[in-house]
Each structure stands twice: as C-alpha cells, then as structure tokens.
Amino acid sequence: QSTWAGDIGMSAELDDLSTALFNGQLPESWRKLAPATQKNLSSWMLHFLRRHAQYSEWVEHGEPTVMWLSGLHVPEAYLTALVQTTCRREGWPLDKSTLFTEVTGFASAAQIDERPASGAYIQGLFLEGASWDPARGRLAKQEPRTLLQELPILRLVPIERHKLKLQNTFRTPVYVTQARADAMGVGLVFEADLATEA
C-alpha cells in the first residue's frame, strides 16, 4: 500500500509481482520458492492451502494415513525415506531394495483407516494417455475426450529387488508436472509398475 500511496518507489520486482497477481499468474518470485508447477494463481493457492493442511496434520498427529504425494515439496525424499526405514528395520542392503507399487481398490483416503505395516498409501496421481479399469484392476485405453484420469489410491511397498517378480505390468513414469522431466531427469519422481492385460 505504501507503493500505491507513493511513499516508496515501485521496483521492477514489485511491478512484476503486481502484474502477475493482476493477471492471475503465479509471480516469479513465488515460483522460485515453491515446488515445480504449471498451475495458475487460483489453482496454486488451493494447492498451497491443501499442502499446508497436510503438513499441519503431519506435525500435530503424525504421518497421514494416506499421503498426498503431490503436496510434498520434494516427493522423492519421502519415497527414499520409505525404503530406508524398511531397510533399517529388516536389515536389507539399501542398494538392493526398491519400491513395488500396487493400485488399490480405494477411490478416496476416507476409505482407509490405518497405514500399511510396511510402505505407504499415496494419492494425487493422474494417468495421461491411458485410463484405469477398476473392475479389472488394470490399465485400459484412454477414454474419448478425457486427457487426465485420477488414479485410485496407490500402495507403495519397499521390497528387496531380487524378490520382485513382475508380470504383465507397464513401467509408468511419475512426474512432478505434465511438462515431464528435463534432460537431467529433474521432474521424474519414480516409476510405478501398473498392471496391464495378461
């Protein structure tokens, strides 16, 4: 308000901020401090409030029963911690362990009462270029005129790599945004193995 009253001069940064806010875009100064996103300002604010609520719940009541992976600033760190915790508990070598993914029949976090004994339930993932057939529990052709489909709750299970026997699955990359990963791999969170037709 001091700027509008003429008490202080309008800097280039303040001008960029006010222009972005006026146009409903995420200001560049905020973008530098936030997780990668392609959202406009209103969607980003809703995302920010939900992310804050998840972090607050985590601090006050412990780890959520179902983790909203999209709400984490660095989701890769959470997944690494899942594997490390299990490796320590089970005495497995960390470099010979990985994550097994399983799409559950749960459509919402409200259907789940407790965390799994090992690993985690996650939500907030979307399929692009395919759809999920809940009746058959596998990937299906993309529905006409439907670009994105939310995936049901996914269960992540840390496992020793030599015990992982996958059949009829498709290794699906999970990215932070629809822009996918850059040449250095930044943006790739992990790869989920989703069931396909036998």
Side-chain angles (χ1 to χ4, degrees), residues 48-68:
F48 175 78
L49 292 172
R50 185 173 174 197
R51 190 168 62 239
H52 179 268
Q54 176 170 272
Y55 282 133
S56 296
E57 180 188 333
W58 198 346
V59 168
E60 294 171 16
H61 306 290
E63 190 173 342
T65 305
V66 179
M67 182 62 71
W68 179 47

Side-chain angles (χ1 to χ4, degrees), residues 113-126:
D113 296 327
E114 59 184 29
R115 297 187 69 242
S118 178
Y121 291 116
I122 62 169
Q123 64 178 334
L125 302 182
F126 290 84

Side-chain angles (χ1 to χ4, degrees), residues 47-167:
H47 194 267
F48 175 78
L49 292 172
R50 185 173 174 197
R51 190 168 62 239
H52 179 268
Q54 176 170 272
Y55 282 133
S56 296
E57 180 188 333
W58 198 346
V59 168
E60 294 171 16
H61 306 290
E63 190 173 342
T65 305
V66 179
M67 182 62 71
W68 179 47
L69 198 65
S70 308
L72 298 177
H73 199 88
V74 185
E76 301 92 321
Y78 177 74
L79 301 178
T80 301
L82 281 177
V83 175
Q84 288 175 337
T85 303
T86 303
C87 286
R88 247 185 253 119
R89 186 177 63 241
E90 302 294 334
W92 300 341
L94 182 60
D95 61 338
K96 293 186 168 111
S97 301
T98 188
L99 283 171
F100 168 69
T101 56
E102 174 186 32
V103 179
T104 69
F106 302 118
S108 101
Q111 296 174 292
I112 301 173
D113 296 327
E114 59 184 29
R115 297 187 69 242
S118 178
Y121 291 116
I122 62 169
Q123 64 178 334
L125 302 182
F126 290 84
L127 287 171
E128 182 178 8
S131 64
W132 185 258
D133 182 349
R136 300 171 91 182
R138 63 184 187 200
L139 287 172
K141 287 185 179 180
Q142 183 176 8
E143 297 293 324
R145 296 183 298 276
T146 305
L147 182 61
L148 299 172
Q149 180 191 3
E150 188 166 6
L151 196 63
I153 306 282
L154 190 70
R155 181 173 178 212
L156 298 175
V157 182
I159 188 170
E160 290 180 284
R161 194 170 281 126
H162 72 275
K163 292 181 180 175
L164 186 60
K165 308 289 187 229
L166 297 173
Q167 288 185 329

